[in-house]
Amino acid sequence: MVTMKKVDVPAFHPTNPPNSLAPFLSFPTLPIVQHRPGRGWLKEKLRVGTWKKEGLMGSMEWTVLKREMRAQVRERLRRMDESILVQESLSVERQLRSCPAFQNARSVSVYLHMPRGEIRTQDIVSTALQQGKRVVVPQVLDSSNLVVGDEQRTTTMVMVPVRDIRDLTTWPKNRWEIPEPPIQPGTSEDDAWRILEESLGTRTLDVVITPGLAFDERGGRLGHGRGYYDRFFDALDQRQWNTPTRIGIALGCQRVEKVPMDPRRDRPMDVVLFGS
């Protein structure tokens, strides 16, 4: 188990000197194996594990850094044996049972895993329910049932309660083959937050168990690129909820030396548990 102090990423400010971002930009343990046209200069910077471009990085540079790391970690996951996935999922569940933040939590958000490439979480959901915790799981609202007013967004992630482990076997699966609780058409984002507050009885969510494609031991997290969890953490702040303990869980092959974290928008984890 790797535990970090909140918050490991320094605040971004336009007047920060360029080298203030240097700690986030080196991950030499991941050799670059892919090259995209027009990015030869970036490949060379990453190959030597150092960013020497002067000035602050823009969104495009962060995007390319993350894209390269995602490609490499996905290749690791593609080669992973199923037996290792099972073994490491059990290891993470045991570590989580011993994690003080989880032990003391009264409410927990747990992601539901994809068929491959993620720590399996059904045992975590079962453990939390058996311990009397209130459990919520992600639900992605899309354009067919999302009402967001003037905001130009077609999807958003909310949390909905799960009361019985058997629900996970009866819920329909989404396009990622993940079980999702059914939701009434026309449900707005505000409706979903209101339902969440009513189910918890408070605007407090103690722990958010967070998936990702890669993690480092400083709490850096690289997601799949859709930004659902970063926006969810932002929404907790905007709606004046508490700040939960963010726990990342990952397979051993998802551990990297350093995740490229954009300090303007990426949220670090407070705890990271690796399967090996």
Side-chain angles (χ1 to χ4, degrees):
M1 180 173 68
V2 182
T3 304
M4 283 64 60
K5 293 181 179 179
K6 292 184 180 180
V7 168
D8 203 33
V9 177
F12 172 82
H13 191 279
T15 61
N16 281 355
N19 62 8
S20 66
L21 294 182
F24 303 99
L25 305 180
S26 175
F27 39 94
T29 57
L30 279 180
I32 296 304
V33 296
Q34 294 197 359
H35 171 54
R36 291 172 173 80
R39 290 291 176 179
W41 57 273
L42 178 61
K43 179 182 178 183
E44 177 62 19
K45 306 298 184 185
L46 294 175
R47 186 186 66 79
V48 299
T50 308
W51 182 265
K52 296 181 179 178
K53 183 178 173 65
E54 293 184 359
L56 294 173
M57 290 176 61
S59 297
M60 178 59 71
E61 286 76 21
W62 286 115
T63 297
V64 174
L65 284 166
K66 293 177 178 181
R67 183 175 62 191
E68 295 290 351
M69 183 171 280
R70 286 190 182 104
Q72 293 167 61
V73 176
R74 283 178 178 136
E75 179 62 20
R76 293 181 181 182
L77 291 169
R78 188 185 69 80
R79 298 179 180 182
M80 187 184 61
D81 188 85
E82 179 78 7
S83 62
I84 297 176
L85 175 59
V86 172
Q87 177 182 340
E88 294 196 11
S89 294
L90 292 173
S91 172
V92 164
E93 196 268 337
R94 286 193 297 268
Q95 293 177 62
L96 195 59
R97 284 174 178 262
S98 302
C99 176
F102 182 80
Q103 289 175 336
N104 298 328
R106 291 175 295 178
S107 57
V108 181
S109 165
V110 186
Y111 75 88
L112 302 180
H113 62 270
M114 295 186 292
R116 288 191 56 82
E118 285 186 330
I119 291 291
R120 294 179 174 176
T121 57
Q122 70 268 23
D123 287 343
I124 297 173
V125 174
S126 179
T127 295
L129 290 171
Q130 289 171 9
Q131 293 179 354
K133 304 182 191 300
R134 294 183 177 181
V135 179
V136 298
V137 297
Q139 165 70 280
V140 174
L141 302 179
D142 61 29
S143 56
S144 65
N145 57 17
L146 178 61
V147 179
V148 291
D150 296 331
E151 193 169 353
Q152 298 301 309
R153 226 179 340 117
T154 57
T155 62
T156 191
M157 186 183 77
V158 296
M159 297 291 172
V160 297
V162 52
R163 308 189 191 282
D164 192 311
I165 190 64
R166 290 172 293 185
D167 291 341
L168 306 189
T169 63
T170 60
W171 287 343
K173 294 184 178 180
N174 61 21
R175 61 181 177 273
W176 297 292
E177 294 297 308
I178 301 171
E180 273 194 340
I183 195 164
Q184 290 293 328
T187 298
S188 71
E189 188 172 2
D190 287 339
D191 290 337
W193 279 95
R194 186 167 53 253
I195 293 169
L196 177 61
E197 182 176 354
E198 290 172 355
S199 70
L200 297 177
T202 178
R203 290 191 175 192
T204 299
L205 183 56
D206 295 321
V207 166
V208 177
I209 297 174
T210 311
L213 198 53
F215 293 88
D216 64 39
E217 294 188 356
R218 293 182 173 135
R221 170 185 173 268
L222 179 67
H224 290 269
R226 297 181 179 270
Y228 286 132
Y229 274 88
D230 288 321
R231 289 200 303 270
F232 176 73
F233 294 135
D234 288 342
L236 287 171
D237 294 341
Q238 294 162 6
R239 293 174 181 270
Q240 299 181 330
W241 282 56
N242 71 311
T243 301
T245 299
R246 300 184 287 265
I247 301 179
I249 60 176
L251 298 156
C253 68
Q254 294 177 286
R255 185 200 305 254
V256 299
E257 183 171 333
K258 196 177 296 290
V259 170
M261 294 276 287
D262 184 345
R264 294 165 290 190
R265 54 180 60 91
D266 295 335
R267 299 288 188 109
M269 300 293 99
D270 303 305
V271 179
V272 180
L273 306 177
F274 293 100
S276 65

